[in-house]
Amino acid sequence: MIISSSVTIGQLTFILRVAIQIVSYAGLALIGVIILGNAPRLAPIDTHDVINRLVGASTATLSTGKWIFSRIRRNSADPSPPVNLLLILFFSLSYTVFVSLSDIGFLGFYACSVPGPDTTDFPASITSDEAASSFVMAHTVNGIDLANLTAWRCDTTRVINLTSSISENNCTAWRTSTYADSSFFAGINSTDSDVLLPRQLKRGRYGRDLSFDVNSFYLGPNTLRLRAPTIQNGIAIAPHAAGVRAVMGVPQLKPEKRVTIPKTMAMEVDVGCMSLGVFAQARVDEGSVDDVRAYLRPFFNESTLSSGGYIIGINNSVVSLSSAAKVAGHRLLTPDVGIPGPDDDMLGYCTDALQKQLGIPTVAKNRGTMCAFLGIGGSVAVEGRLGQGFHRMMCAAATQVNMVSATVAVDNHNQTSLNLTRLPSDLHYVQADFWHAGTLGEANLFINFVPYERYTLSDNPNGPTTHFVWNRDSPLLDSQLGPASGANIISTIGSVVLDPSHSFDVGDYTALKLLDNGFEPIGSLSTARVTEWVGEVAGSFILASATYNGWAARQMPPLLVQTTGGRTGSCYRPYYALGFLPLVFAATVVVCWAALMLLGRSLMGSGSVKKAYGGLAPFTAVASPGAPAETLLCWEHSDSPQFQVVAKDYSMISHPSDTALKYFKSAQSPPS
């Protein structure tokens, strides 16, 4: 239980102890007044002695305890035991004990992290038009005028035949504006891929033709893999053991902050790998061993083998051996350039089977693969010698686009976590081809660029919660040419991350393949490391290729950002508060008792009673030296304390007509 976010435990303890001391002293003072208000005028000498010790602030604990014990056992000579005096004396002894027990209550205090106030924020933390414009400009090439950079949008397409052998998906109605026009992005939300913006945008150039309106943008990973979940540019990206997840429209959260986005788009890439059981190795002083042909031969019809018994096109395979641990691709040799090899057939069969199983519509044009040959290479120990080896695997990656409710949190160690709940929805996909018509001699020429693509999710309570999408094949280039749409990242990521042999052999990306194991032997590495590696590369791909559109972020409804922690505060474990209950109960009883006596005017003579006793001890030596404890004493009201030994028929000094017997039967209040 949080007590305070600003007052420390030491300060709270000091304040509470002062309060307890005030309650203690005030309670004891009231108890003293109540005792005097209930003091009998006529009582045995031990009763007067106890009261006198309390009045004189003498050590009264032992004598009071004995007095209470004798009254409870009913073995005293008191002719009329005062019940009220018995109770209040019991409270006088218990009160100090209750004060001591209250120390148990202090054990409940402990230091804790206290949440701060909740706030509101927007995707990518865009809170003004100026911030939105600056955010868009920050992800274009420096110096580009946004008013000269075309923004494209398309809702539907239809197939048109340009020639007898060439057809294109033509947008039925292009909508265009510029990236300086904020109103062009009004109406789209985080369930539309057009809220994403490719990075490094600029006006494109095809050859020497500057009149053709095309954009240039970057599509690919960074030079380093993304190892941990992060939030950047309005996107939360979380690589995991079997792929990566990315959520759109996330504010830039600080530590100990959490946001729940009720409805947004999530992109998920799932990866699985299977070991082929084939291992290539090489020693420095010997040749290489490659068992691919022997492994694959049982899967082929013997009649298709060559006259020498070889699988056509396979004598061995292309394996990039290295002493450093790395993930790489491997390919089977093809007999001639341009002739499909067995590996192409196997990857094609794998892709077709996965598309049917996952319900992915078959799109013939620019279809990418969902499968690839990957493996781990590096140092291996061979019969006491260090060599090079490569474990072959076959991997598959499937991309999903889903509507989700997402909770993104950053803890006090700046670690990001992502929790998704998929929502039923319908997915609408648009691919509009983008081409440039020209001539080459007398022949018509059609140059295709990166198409415009768009994924749009809509609510449907009866719709599926998972939408798998096809992978579009795209080479990894320094710059892409096309309209530049956010969906280009989604449709391409699955093919790029599975193709390290072609894409990542470029000098700028070779570091992506290296693993942290360095030159350590790779014998313990498994398919799990490859799937994790693919997720890290996919996270890097999203981070480097996409950002949230600043204009779209500006028009989104605010999101509640909750604080999950903050500065150190003071908290309390409630069950320790039981230690304060006895003191609270006793103080309440004492206050109520004093109030009742005050209303009944029973406290009015307490000053006279105190004056009558005067703190003299013991009474026996004053009133009747050597008298036994059961001797009855009666105090007389006068200017000085006067106690007399009395019998039942003794008349009182101040009231000669009264006898002591009257006081035995009904003790009266002290005279005023």
Side-chain angles (χ1 to χ4, degrees), residues 284-357:
V284 177
D285 56 348
E286 297 181 8
S288 64
V289 178
D290 194 342
D291 297 327
V292 172
R293 179 168 52 82
Y295 177 80
L296 294 178
R297 179 166 181 161
F299 300 99
F300 283 79
N301 190 328
E302 292 290 332
S303 63
T304 63
L305 301 180
S306 67
S307 59
Y310 293 105
I311 303 171
I312 298 176
I314 304 177
N315 191 9
N316 57 10
S317 65
V318 177
V319 175
S320 177
L321 295 180
S322 169
S323 296
K326 67 177 184 179
V327 173
H330 59 95
R331 300 282 292 180
L332 305 178
L333 291 180
T334 56
D336 297 300
V337 177
I339 299 178
D343 54 345
D344 295 316
D345 292 335
M346 294 177 67
L347 296 180
Y349 297 150
C350 174
T351 298
D352 289 340
L354 279 176
Q355 285 191 327
K356 291 178 181 178
Q357 182 176 352

Side-chain angles (χ1 to χ4, degrees), residues 401-416:
V401 177
N402 302 315
M403 181 186 288
V404 301
S405 170
T407 299
V408 185
V410 179
D411 64 15
N412 59 335
H413 300 294
N414 209 27
Q415 299 296 314
T416 302

Side-chain angles (χ1 to χ4, degrees), residues 41 636-637 650-660 662-663 668 671:
R41 185 174 183 182
E636 296 292 336
H637 181 66
Y650 282 6
S651 62
M652 310 305 293
I653 297 176
S654 58
H655 301 278
S657 61
D658 292 338
T659 64
K662 179 179 179 181
Y663 289 92
Q668 64 183 32

Side-chain angles (χ1 to χ4, degrees), residues 139 141 197-202 215-224 475-481 484-485 488-489 496 504 508-509 512 540-547:
H139 296 100
V141 176
L197 188 69
R199 301 188 65 186
Q200 299 185 22
L201 268 173
K202 68 181 182 68
N215 291 330
S216 173
F217 57 98
Y218 177 75
L219 197 63
N222 282 322
T223 56
L224 296 176
L476 188 58
L477 304 173
D478 291 338
S479 62
Q480 306 280 344
L481 294 176
S485 64
N488 293 150
I489 293 99
V496 171
F504 303 153
D508 293 341
Y509 301 103
L512 282 174
S540 176
F541 184 94
I542 300 169
L543 197 67
S545 302
T547 181

Side-chain angles (χ1 to χ4, degrees), residues 470-649:
W470 66 297
N471 296 336
R472 183 175 58 82
D473 196 10
S474 178
L476 188 58
L477 304 173
D478 291 338
S479 62
Q480 306 280 344
L481 294 176
S485 64
N488 293 150
I489 293 99
I490 298 173
S491 64
T492 306
I493 185 172
S495 293
V496 171
V497 297
L498 287 182
D499 197 13
S501 294
H502 292 78
S503 299
F504 303 153
D505 278 339
V506 183
D508 293 341
Y509 301 103
T510 52
L512 282 174
K513 299 191 295 184
L514 295 175
L515 299 176
D516 297 336
N517 303 74
F519 292 93
E520 294 294 325
I522 62 170
S524 60
L525 296 180
S526 64
T527 56
R529 184 64 188 98
V530 178
T531 58
E532 184 180 12
W533 176 88
V534 174
E536 293 170 350
V537 173
S540 176
F541 184 94
I542 300 169
L543 197 67
S545 302
T547 181
Y548 203 86
N549 190 314
W551 294 124
R554 183 70 185 104
Q555 301 173 74
M556 295 296 172
L559 297 168
L560 178 64
V561 178
Q562 297 174 307
T563 302
T564 58
R567 57 185 177 181
T568 301
S570 302
C571 291
Y572 193 77
R573 297 180 179 90
Y575 49 86
Y576 281 101
L578 295 175
F580 296 118
L581 290 182
L583 178 59
V584 172
F585 171 75
T588 303
V589 170
V590 169
V591 170
C592 294
W593 195 336
L596 291 174
M597 292 185 67
L598 182 63
L599 293 175
R601 304 179 64 84
S602 301
L603 295 182
M604 303 304 295
S606 60
S608 300
V609 176
K610 183 176 182 180
K611 182 179 179 181
Y613 283 100
L616 298 177
F619 286 108
T620 306
V622 177
S624 180
E630 61 271 13
T631 302
L632 296 176
L633 293 180
C634 178
W635 54 266
E636 296 292 336
H637 181 66
S638 62
D639 293 336
S640 61
Q642 297 181 20
F643 286 88
Q644 293 182 357
V645 178
V646 298
K648 293 182 179 182
D649 54 349

Side-chain angles (χ1 to χ4, degrees), residues 152-163 165-174 361-367 429-436 446-454 470 472 483:
W152 303 77
R153 175 115 3 96
C154 182
D155 297 320
T156 58
T157 62
R158 63 183 179 89
V159 178
I160 62 171
N161 296 317
L162 299 178
T163 68
S165 60
I166 299 176
S167 62
E168 301 285 355
N169 292 323
N170 186 47
C171 182
T172 55
W174 282 111
T362 300
V363 182
K365 179 176 287 189
N366 297 324
R367 188 184 75 170
Y429 172 70
V430 172
Q431 177 183 326
D433 293 325
F434 202 80
W435 71 90
H436 179 51
F446 298 94
I447 305 298
N448 274 287
F449 301 97
V450 176
Y452 168 88
E453 295 173 286
R454 186 181 182 187
W470 66 297
R472 183 175 58 82

Side-chain angles (χ1 to χ4, degrees), residues 122-140 144-153 177-190 194-197 201 233-234 547-557:
F122 297 86
S125 296
I126 303 296
T127 58
S128 66
D129 291 343
E130 293 75 14
S133 179
S134 299
F135 192 80
V136 173
M137 292 185 64
H139 296 100
T140 59
I144 293 296
D145 184 358
L146 295 181
N148 294 326
L149 191 60
T150 304
W152 303 77
R153 175 115 3 96
S177 184
T178 69
Y179 281 99
D181 181 12
S182 61
S183 63
F184 183 71
F185 302 96
I188 61 174
N189 56 42
S190 292
D194 271 2
V195 297
L196 293 179
L197 188 69
L201 268 173
N233 300 328
T547 181
Y548 203 86
N549 190 314
W551 294 124
R554 183 70 185 104
Q555 301 173 74
M556 295 296 172

